Amino acid sequence: MSNRSSSKRAKGSGEEMVSVALKDIANLCKRRGFIFQDSEIYGGIGSVWDYGPLGVELKNSVKSQWWKSMVYDRNDIVGLDSAILMNPEVWKASGHVGSFADMMVDCKECRKRYRIDHLKESNCPECGGDLTEPRSFNLMFKTQVGSVEGQTTDVYLRPETAQGIFVNFENILNSSRKKPPFGVAQIGKSFRNEITTGNFTFRSREFEQMEMEFFVKPGEDEEWYEYWVNARFEWYRSLGIRKENLRLREHDKDELAHYSKRCHDVEYLFPMGWSELEGIANRSDFDLTQHSKLSGRELNYLDTSTGERYVPYVIEPSGGVDRAVLAFLVDAYRKETVKGRDRVFLSIDKRLAPIKIAVLPLLKKNGEIVEMAHRLRNELGGRYRVVYDDTAAIGRLYRRQDEIGTPYCVTVDVDSLTDGKVTVRDRDTMEQERVEASRLNDYMLERLPF
Ligand code: GAP
């Protein structure tokens, strides 16, 4: 969490433009079924999005790559799936009731609301009207638990997943027998009543976070902090984000969130400029100390080998799933001219591609070709997301798959029926290769990592 009340803008934000416009990405997302406006048939609802058939695959792949790198590839991190609704005391302890607010102003003429740190001028940017005095606006969504009128309790939709980890610290310590340094990873929905929205999914009111709280001995926190800042930067690089579009930026002291000792943002060069993808913070012992005070439970660790008892410090890499999805889409977007025709393709990492293989029959009227294509789809489909498509001519089918980033198209033609071979076309190079259909499973296993 960056300091929501800070008047600073991210350094460099809005300064540089890259070639693909966000509206091109939004168009592609709608046209191909990645992302739709939520409740669109009713006119939508501001900054809430639905992920379509391809979007859900991409999102799941981003989450599973994160989970793999955080949990499966290591022995010092365990997972958690805590609830969205929590006892409201949690948010008092965490400081969200008191401090999770933006300073905002309203236009006295057109009633539009702005975050003060996003305003460059002293009047309304829309109509030039006078603005009200700044007021603090808490970003948490409130609702009620209980069914009897007058006997309900106000609760909040969580604005971060992290607190679910802190309140389960004791449970996890006792049940998993982990000792610092160790971490707890969680992916889940968070909600913020954002004032300034726009920029497609970048700032949504309902979004998903991938957060990991890494508990360390005080004194070892700086070392682990450096480790996680680098590890998280490299994770985006390892999944193909171009180096020139990614940078680290350390927060100035006056930008730090109330709990934060230090924080680095991993920033991506989105079409609207350098913007935060993920924050890596040293939360010190703030959260465990606060929850100990308010709950009355001692949240600390006893090192039985030395007899030393301490409140662990926490290093937190906290990323947004939706922002990562958007960055992967923007970064993969390519346009080129091939033999006088424009080609749009998503050169996305194969592990993230929503569809891994498309099986295409060259002649859909030939029953044997169609049957062979279906058989191959079914054989490959047990392992990967594979589609069969015969709804257009082959050139058009290729363009469709290019645009959604499918790494391989497998074409079955008349020759396949006699020589048992199919044509495999590579998305990026467009090179084609004849491959024995009986070897296709192994061929894909060699080329499509998990
Ligand atoms: N637990 C720390 C925390 O929540 P944050 O910087 O407020 O820190 C972490 O949020 C990440 O969550 C951000 O880097 C961003 O990727 C994502 N995020 C935050 N607010 C968001 C929003 N309104 N829409 C989409 N993603 C958001």
Side-chain angles (χ1 to χ4, degrees), residues 1 160 192 194 202 204 209 211 276-277 316 318 320:
M1 175 167 77
E160 62 170 12
R192 296 182 189 180
E194 298 282 1
F202 181 80
S204 304
Q209 290 185 309
E211 300 201 292
E276 176 186 344
L277 256 187
E316 174 197 68
S318 169

Side-chain angles (χ1 to χ4, degrees), residues 77 80 89 93 111 120 164 167 218 276 315 343 356 367 429:
I77 300 182
L80 178 74
E89 291 296 298
R111 318 305 305 164
K120 290 195 191 107
V167 300
E276 176 186 344
I315 309 301
R343 176 172 101 105
K356 309 295 183 209
T429 63

Side-chain angles (χ1 to χ4, degrees), residues 49-267:
W49 302 94
D50 295 341
Y51 286 76
L54 297 185
V56 65
E57 297 293 345
L58 173 55
K59 206 179 188 202
N60 283 345
S61 300
V62 169
K63 291 191 277 186
S64 67
Q65 285 305 318
W66 186 87
W67 196 262
K68 180 179 176 301
S69 79
M70 284 294 182
V71 183
Y72 292 178
D73 289 350
R74 319 177 52 104
N75 198 39
D76 55 358
I77 300 182
V78 293
L80 178 74
D81 182 15
S82 69
I84 287 169
L85 299 178
M86 303 181 79
N87 187 306
E89 291 296 298
V90 169
W91 307 110
K92 282 189 199 153
S94 69
H96 283 81
V97 170
S99 323
F100 195 56
D102 281 339
M103 291 305 284
M104 57 98 188
V105 288
D106 291 318
C107 172
K108 290 180 185 167
E109 304 295 322
C110 69
R111 318 305 305 164
K112 233 182 150 215
R113 181 165 285 177
Y114 301 98
R115 249 172 82 170
I116 202 157
D117 56 328
H118 285 183
L119 274 181
K120 290 195 191 107
E121 50 277 89
S122 53
N123 282 64
C124 174
E126 286 276 299
C127 72
D130 287 341
L131 301 171
T132 59
E133 285 300 308
R135 279 184 290 145
S136 174
F137 179 80
N138 195 292
L139 297 167
M140 286 195 291
F141 283 103
K142 216 186 236 183
T143 186
Q144 284 91 38
V145 166
S147 52
V148 182
E149 177 90 31
Q151 291 179 27
T152 55
T153 307
D154 283 345
V155 295
Y156 301 98
L157 302 188
R158 68 180 176 198
E160 62 170 12
T161 69
Q163 297 304 322
I165 298 179
F166 298 128
V167 300
N168 276 297
F169 173 75
E170 200 178 59
N171 284 334
I172 293 171
L173 205 59
N174 292 340
S175 59
S176 66
R177 303 266 145 219
K178 289 282 173 211
K179 34 177 136 160
F182 81 99
V184 182
Q186 161 151 254
I187 300 177
K189 289 265 182 171
S190 291
F191 302 81
R192 296 182 189 180
N193 197 1
E194 298 282 1
I195 302 168
T196 306
T197 53
N199 290 331
F200 197 25
T201 56
F202 181 80
R203 199 177 299 286
S204 304
R205 294 200 164 102
E206 174 176 342
F207 55 98
E208 272 188 278
Q209 290 185 309
M210 312 181 275
E211 300 201 292
M212 195 276 293
E213 309 302 319
F214 201 72
F215 299 94
V216 303
K217 191 174 173 185
E220 294 175 6
D221 51 312
E222 272 299 315
E223 204 180 310
W224 278 109
Y225 176 75
E226 299 289 340
Y227 170 87
W228 281 111
V229 168
N230 291 324
R232 293 306 304 145
F233 183 87
E234 288 307 324
W235 183 79
Y236 292 98
R237 290 278 299 122
S238 74
L239 286 167
I241 297 275
R242 283 172 286 183
K243 204 173 179 182
E244 63 272 24
N245 292 341
L246 206 60
R247 73 178 187 188
L248 285 168
R249 187 182 69 82
E250 179 155 18
H251 283 206
D252 290 339
K253 286 268 172 290
D254 58 350
E255 268 182 280
L256 290 171
H258 59 277
Y259 52 72
S260 213
K261 196 176 146 192
R262 270 183 89 185
C263 184
H264 269 81
D265 282 347
V266 179
E267 293 188 336

